[in-house]
Amino acid sequence: MPDRFLNFVNDEWGLYDTSVKQSASLLLTVSGGIDSVVLAHLCAQTGLNFSMAHVNFGLRGAESDGDEAFVRELGVRYAKPVHVTQFDTEAEASHAGESIQMAARRLRYSWFALLQQQYGFTYIATAHHQNDVLETTLLNLARGTGIAGLRGLPKQNGQIIRPLWFATRAQIEAYALQEGLTWREDSSNRDDKYLRNQIRHHVVPGLEAVNANFWGTFLRTIDRLRATETIIDDELAKSWKWVTDSSSSAQIVIDKAKLGTLLEPTFRLAEWLRPYGFVYEQVVSLVSCLQAEPGQCFKTTTHELWHQKHSLVLVPKKTVFTDTYRWESWPAGKIDIAGLGILEFSVTEFAKGLEFTEDQHVVSMDVSRLSGEVVIRPWQAGDRFQPIGMRGQKLVSDFLSGQKVPLHERHNVHVLIVGGVIIWVIGYRISDMVKLKPDARKVLIIRLLP
């Protein structure tokens, strides 16, 4: 196995430069189980440069402490540094609201990445092998997946490599026995309450019984899936570029008409939107809405996708501000309004011939017409006002539609209210009720500062 191992890691990553007999620097993730013990042994046998990292999750009491002691001894045997950390995994999982398995995975990989950054390791190496690849494939298939999920575990994922990817569990066990290696047994690996163990103990043996050359067939299938994924990814990248406008850093606009001309739009959208946290079921619901009236919003923890008349608009999720500000009389100076900006209030005498700047960010009003409590708040459904130049009132929602304010920008539009009457949709239009007339005496000037 050492020759096969060295050929594999050199073909994939060029880990050992035979011309100078120098190796890349590896951080081996070592639990103490047979797989990681064999990985450490092979690295030592072939002269690779490595250190070891072990996580004590504290989930199995004395058994976990025994694993830690074993790995420390392994470091002494190979004269290699051993990095060890401990986590209160149950407390971390409870605090994060996730399963113990998910918390353990997050904690260990975050720590491995920290060690890599701190010590400059070329790669983080895990001891996953062909059985792990198959088990992951079957787990993903049971839960629902795409092409990438059917490939199981790739040989490399970013800075994480899998030097035992070429071997099966049976081959690893045979090598360990041949070399007289010792290792730790994790009692939880025998417990069928875990789905992965059910697959390992009951499904995989059945597949091996069906096909005597199962592992050779599986490797070829994985390679074909990898090739399929490469072709699909290339097509997805090309079609994404064609249907989207990414000229603005604040949003991505997907053209609905172009999307409709493509084969399998649901699949494409699901793959395009997956990096933003969207799941397939959301995309199915989204596509079913494309022929309906626009206005729907689909959300993840980080992004929002808005259905508009001619497009889908993807934007980072923004904080929705709901604060209401109240004053008994006009405020003076600068006021910071959360989600809006700074409003600067000033009053001046009105004189004939005096010109006042008017745009979306500076407004002038006849203060003599204004009395009552001053309120600034986000607009609400049902709000009405009389836009300057109009005789009747208009719903603020209709006004914003007429102004073509994008749906994803409307939730943080604010209104200025005096005496219960909306006199300014801030940043857009004042009310006809407060426009300046020749008989005005004092002028209220409000500036919306950047």
Side-chain angles (χ1 to χ4, degrees):
M1 184 176 278
D3 289 343
R4 190 178 171 204
F5 169 79
L6 193 57
N7 288 336
F8 179 75
V9 298
N10 277 336
D11 288 345
E12 293 295 331
W13 306 291
L15 294 188
Y16 190 83
D17 187 340
T18 55
S19 63
V20 295
K21 294 186 177 181
Q22 186 173 1
S23 162
S25 176
L26 301 179
L27 178 66
L28 307 190
T29 63
V30 181
S31 66
I34 186 171
D35 303 332
S36 59
V37 166
V38 166
L39 176 60
H41 182 76
L42 286 169
C43 287
Q45 289 288 97
T46 53
L48 295 183
N49 177 23
F50 68 95
S51 298
M52 293 184 281
H54 176 80
V55 181
N56 185 339
F57 293 108
L59 295 172
R60 294 176 289 115
E63 192 176 336
S64 293
D65 295 335
D67 293 345
E68 178 183 329
F70 176 84
V71 175
R72 289 186 184 276
E73 292 173 4
L74 204 61
V76 173
R77 184 184 313 162
Y78 294 129
K80 297 295 183 181
V82 177
H83 305 275
V84 176
T85 193
Q86 297 184 0
F87 293 114
D88 186 343
T89 313
E90 290 182 340
E92 289 279 355
S94 176
H95 177 73
E98 59 189 357
S99 70
I100 289 177
Q101 289 81 6
M102 289 295 294
R105 186 182 190 283
R106 172 177 55 82
L107 291 168
R108 68 175 177 267
Y109 279 106
S110 295
W111 182 61
F112 297 153
L114 189 64
L115 288 176
Q116 182 186 27
Q117 183 179 24
Q118 184 176 354
Y119 293 97
F121 295 110
T122 310
Y123 293 111
I124 299 166
T126 68
H128 295 110
H129 47 72
Q130 277 297 296
N131 289 68
D132 294 311
V133 176
L134 175 61
E135 290 163 11
T136 302
T137 294
L138 294 174
L139 276 170
N140 292 340
L141 184 62
R143 293 167 175 164
T145 188
I147 293 292
L150 290 177
R151 285 202 299 113
L153 299 170
K155 300 172 187 176
Q156 180 173 352
N157 183 12
Q159 294 301 302
I160 298 171
I161 63 173
R162 300 183 170 98
L164 293 182
W165 192 92
F166 68 94
T168 65
R169 178 175 286 114
Q171 291 168 339
I172 289 170
E173 290 174 350
Y175 179 75
L177 292 173
Q178 173 190 312
E179 296 295 310
L181 302 180
T182 58
W183 58 88
R184 299 282 295 179
E185 291 286 356
D186 184 344
S187 59
S188 67
N189 286 337
R190 297 189 295 268
D191 193 340
D192 272 0
K193 74 177 182 180
Y194 300 110
L195 182 55
R196 182 177 287 273
N197 287 347
Q198 294 176 34
I199 291 173
R200 179 178 302 167
H201 299 152
H202 307 292
V203 179
V204 175
L207 293 172
E208 291 173 322
V210 168
N211 183 354
N213 189 35
F214 172 76
W215 290 106
T217 302
F218 179 62
L219 275 175
R220 288 193 295 274
T221 300
I222 291 296
D223 191 56
R224 291 164 68 183
L225 287 170
R226 179 203 55 77
T228 301
E229 185 182 15
T230 300
I231 294 170
I232 290 174
D233 285 347
D234 181 66
E235 167 58 24
L236 286 172
K238 291 176 180 176
S239 55
W240 171 254
K241 186 176 181 180
W242 182 63
V243 302
T244 59
D245 177 358
S246 304
S247 57
S248 169
S249 60
Q251 64 183 30
I252 297 174
V253 179
I254 302 172
D255 188 303
K256 284 170 57 177
K258 289 182 177 180
L259 176 65
T261 66
L262 296 173
L263 294 173
E264 303 294 345
T266 304
F267 172 78
R268 291 175 190 267
L269 272 175
E271 293 298 306
W272 290 334
L273 297 176
R274 184 158 47 88
Y276 303 99
F278 292 91
V279 298
Y280 192 81
E281 289 73 17
Q282 282 179 295
V283 177
V284 171
S285 298
L286 165 64
V287 172
S288 70
C289 294
L290 293 183
Q291 303 305 318
E293 286 295 313
Q296 301 88 355
C297 178
F298 297 82
K299 300 180 181 180
T300 68
T301 55
T302 59
H303 285 77
E304 297 176 345
L305 187 70
W306 289 84
H307 177 206
Q308 301 194 153
K309 186 175 182 180
H310 300 294
S311 62
L312 299 170
V313 180
L314 179 67
V315 294
K317 195 171 184 179
K318 296 180 180 178
T319 302
V320 178
F321 296 92
T322 59
D323 295 341
T324 296
Y325 301 80
R326 300 178 185 275
W327 300 269
E328 292 183 2
S329 58
W330 285 107
K334 297 178 180 179
I335 305 294
D336 192 354
I337 307 297
L340 178 63
I342 296 174
L343 292 178
E344 183 180 47
F345 295 82
S346 60
V347 176
T348 186
E349 296 292 332
F350 180 79
K352 289 183 178 181
L354 187 62
E355 294 185 358
F356 296 93
T357 300
E358 291 282 348
D359 60 31
Q360 288 185 328
H361 298 93
V362 182
V363 294
S364 305
M365 308 178 188
D366 186 350
V367 75
S368 63
R369 301 187 184 199
L370 308 174
S371 62
E373 182 185 41
V374 179
V375 176
I376 294 177
R377 62 163 173 78
W379 76 280
Q380 300 171 356
D383 279 346
R384 293 176 176 271
F385 86 122
Q386 183 181 356
I388 188 168
M390 288 187 62
R391 292 186 177 181
Q393 291 200 331
K394 193 169 190 175
L395 285 168
V396 171
S397 58
D398 291 344
F399 169 77
L400 294 175
S401 295
Q403 293 294 303
K404 301 189 183 304
V405 179
L407 293 171
H408 61 276
E409 294 181 5
R410 295 181 191 181
H411 55 275
N412 278 334
V413 172
H414 287 62
V415 292
L416 173 62
I417 304 170
V418 180
V421 178
I422 295 175
I423 62 169
W424 186 23
V425 177
I426 300 175
Y428 294 95
R429 192 75 58 82
I430 64 170
S431 168
D432 195 75
M433 297 173 58
V434 293
K435 67 182 179 183
L436 291 176
K437 293 183 177 181
D439 60 349
R441 296 192 300 268
K442 288 188 175 182
V443 179
L444 172 68
I445 301 173
I446 310 176
R447 291 179 172 85
L448 175 58
L449 304 179

